Amino acid sequence: MKRIVLASMVVLALVGCRSNTPTHSAADGLQSFRYDLTAVTTGVFGDAAAGAGDASLKVAVTGDVADTHRERTLTEMKLGASTVNLERVRVDDKAWSREGKSGNWSQGPASATSGTAGLGLDSTALLGADARARIKTALEGLTATDEQVGDVAAQRYTVPAERMRVILGASATGEQTSLGRINKDSTFWVTKDGQLPVKFVTDTSPTTGGTVHIEITMRDRNATIEVKQPGQG
């Protein structure tokens, strides 16, 4: 139980329905998307988790982002032998969460970052034409390498920390982002046609020490995605 509480304090639930038909052009930027996030901590817990055998917290998230107001996340957190599964739904200024898929829903305030302790994707920072313009500006002057990411023709960039913070909607001069403190280069892939986010890999540094390695892959860009509050089908 202690480890479950610890895992819950480190990260709360980050992030549907079916339909993959794009309804917006690249010029509009991202209007909706789904994503898969994995995060692994190293040295964050130190001796506190020595009894767990493996002292790293492993987080796996799938997220459905319908627009800036609606998002659903399923999160699995593993610390040693303990596993926590959390589901979270955000609609407008309200949010609901529950443990597992059969627990009781509890309502609380909505959070733009959908997370705590410096780990959580702020999906709203990646949506809309303004976000697309911000990404294009952040990538200006950087060297692009053509790559295939799954079935997507993409371009890979090595992005300095200050530019990655801007992409994530944070200040270029401050290390803190919704994913944590970024102070090293990140790797960022965008679609070759339209420069929409495809994937990024980054390392963050918690104030308590250690590192968190994060990989996020985005899919179903601009598909029709529905997110409804619990009890509405």
Side-chain angles (χ1 to χ4, degrees):
M1 175 60 76
K2 232 172 141 185
R3 290 193 291 269
I4 291 177
V5 172
L6 183 57
S8 298
M9 290 176 64
V10 173
V11 57
L12 198 60
L14 309 171
V15 133
C17 299
R18 303 288 182 198
S19 180
N20 299 323
T21 304
T23 57
H24 297 274
S25 70
D28 299 324
L30 276 182
Q31 301 296 319
S32 62
F33 64 96
R34 293 185 173 94
Y35 69 89
D36 300 295
L37 177 153
T38 60
V40 179
T41 68
T42 302
V44 173
F45 298 107
D47 295 336
D54 180 0
S56 63
L57 173 67
K58 299 177 177 65
V59 182
V61 181
T62 58
D64 298 325
V65 181
D67 53 40
T68 57
H69 303 288
R70 296 172 294 160
E71 180 176 5
R72 175 175 177 262
T73 58
L74 296 172
T75 301
E76 180 181 82
M77 296 175 287
K78 292 184 177 181
L79 180 63
S82 298
T83 300
V84 178
N85 290 282
L86 298 171
E87 183 175 7
R88 185 176 187 276
V89 174
R90 175 176 59 85
V91 177
D92 296 323
D93 60 349
K94 298 178 181 179
W96 296 261
S97 61
R98 65 178 177 178
E99 187 169 339
K101 286 192 173 183
S102 59
N104 294 323
W105 290 101
S106 60
Q107 185 177 336
S111 167
T113 59
S114 303
T116 60
L119 177 60
L121 177 64
D122 181 1
S123 58
T124 61
L126 300 175
L127 294 172
D130 288 346
R132 178 174 179 266
R134 193 172 65 247
I135 290 172
K136 290 185 68 175
T137 299
L139 298 180
E140 283 181 1
L142 300 181
T143 301
T145 300
D146 290 346
E147 286 190 355
Q148 195 77 12
V149 180
D151 59 353
V152 178
Q155 291 182 315
R156 173 174 54 82
Y157 291 86
T158 298
V159 182
E162 64 274 11
R163 297 196 186 195
M164 195 66 208
R165 296 171 203 146
V166 170
I167 289 173
L168 293 172
S171 167
T173 57
E175 294 180 353
Q176 190 66 34
T177 73
S178 64
L179 293 172
R181 295 167 63 240
I182 296 179
N183 48 34
K184 295 181 180 179
D185 290 351
S186 301
T187 308
F188 189 52
W189 290 259
V190 295
T191 58
K192 192 171 182 179
D193 180 17
Q195 289 192 308
L196 298 180
V198 173
K199 178 180 178 179
F200 59 92
V201 178
T202 191
D203 291 321
T204 65
S205 304
T207 55
T208 52
T211 61
V212 182
H213 180 73
I214 301 170
E215 297 189 16
I216 300 177
T217 302
M218 308 171 78
R219 51 193 169 82
D220 296 343
R221 284 168 294 279
N222 290 341
T224 299
I225 300 173
E226 292 185 358
V227 174
K228 298 180 180 178
Q229 70 180 59
Q232 290 191 349

